[in-house]
Amino acid sequence: RHNSYENRHMGPELKNFKGYYVIEFEEPFVSGAIWDDSAASPNSETQARINDKTTEARGSRVGAFATFSAQRTSAVKIRVGSSFISLEQARENLRREIPSWNFAAVAEQTKQAWEKSLARVEIEGGTPDEQTIFYTAMYHSLLFPRRFDEYGRYYSAFDEKIHEGESFNDYSMWDTFRAQHPLLTIIAPEKVNPMI
């Protein structure tokens, strides 16, 4: 379970906190359905209450499934866009971040972004294993806090409104002022002021 799952229990319920998802399949699926709060899982009884032509669902517990031909031999490509702002923003995020079905291009773009971040520090000496340990730790130090805004707008749990600007989230509850934040002033100084 991710930290965000646990964090949601640490404060009051947020009535306006919502997650929006857009899921696209490269090829049509054979069957599928969406269910909501009224059904706990996609079993035959549930499917009888679901319109399998539905393409959108709203609720505090929503799920979906799709099935493909058993004769299929290649991987199924799926693109997912998400947003804490709106369904339209989830579509826009998907359009900007994964505009095509070229998985290799997305993987390469991600690799280049991480290589650029990790190249800010060059180490000398040590064994290959020790160098791997160092860069793995540096990678972990750059994962969080993470950008929470969506192209200049973000949902704020403090007043449950959408704001303009940059936002960061997933700050650790531990003593990050001792090492994490001082490290960021050296390896990612552009993040420091927006975080503050």
Side-chain angles (χ1 to χ4, degrees), residues 52-98:
D52 66 0
K53 303 298 183 201
T54 302
T55 60
E56 292 186 17
R58 297 175 188 271
S60 60
R61 293 186 177 180
V62 176
F65 71 93
T67 59
F68 293 84
S69 169
Q71 283 72 42
R72 183 180 187 85
T73 58
S74 60
V76 175
K77 289 184 183 175
I78 302 169
R79 299 187 303 179
V80 180
S82 65
S83 173
F84 292 106
I85 296 174
S86 68
L87 184 59
E88 295 74 25
Q89 186 67 51
R91 287 188 177 111
E92 175 65 12
N93 294 347
L94 178 61
R95 184 191 68 75
R96 286 184 183 213
E97 295 164 16
I98 310 176

Side-chain angles (χ1 to χ4, degrees), residues 106-123 134-136 138-139 142-143 187 190:
V106 172
E108 182 60 27
Q109 181 182 12
T110 303
K111 178 182 174 186
Q112 293 300 322
W114 275 111
E115 285 185 2
K116 181 178 178 183
S117 292
L118 296 175
R120 292 179 174 196
V121 175
E122 292 183 34
I123 60 173
F134 174 86
Y135 283 111
T136 300
M138 185 176 167
Y139 163 78
L142 291 169
L143 281 173
I187 65 172
E190 74 282 357

Side-chain angles (χ1 to χ4, degrees), residues 131-183:
Q131 291 181 0
T132 297
I133 290 168
F134 174 86
Y135 283 111
T136 300
M138 185 176 167
Y139 163 78
H140 287 148
S141 73
L142 291 169
L143 281 173
F144 298 105
R146 66 180 177 86
R147 288 284 300 266
F148 190 68
D149 58 284
E150 302 171 41
Y151 302 101
R153 297 183 335 147
Y154 64 93
Y155 164 82
S156 172
F158 294 106
D159 63 5
E160 294 205 80
K161 295 179 181 173
I162 306 300
H163 294 272
E164 301 288 325
E166 285 183 80
S167 179
F168 285 81
N169 203 332
D170 282 328
Y171 288 90
S172 172
M173 297 298 288
W174 299 103
D175 294 345
T176 56
F177 70 91
R178 296 180 191 276
Q180 168 71 9
H181 290 286
L183 176 65

Side-chain angles (χ1 to χ4, degrees), residues 22-26 77-81 94 98-101:
V22 175
I23 303 170
E24 295 180 356
F25 298 91
E26 184 179 30
K77 289 184 183 175
I78 302 169
R79 299 187 303 179
V80 180
L94 178 61
I98 310 176
S100 73
W101 289 100

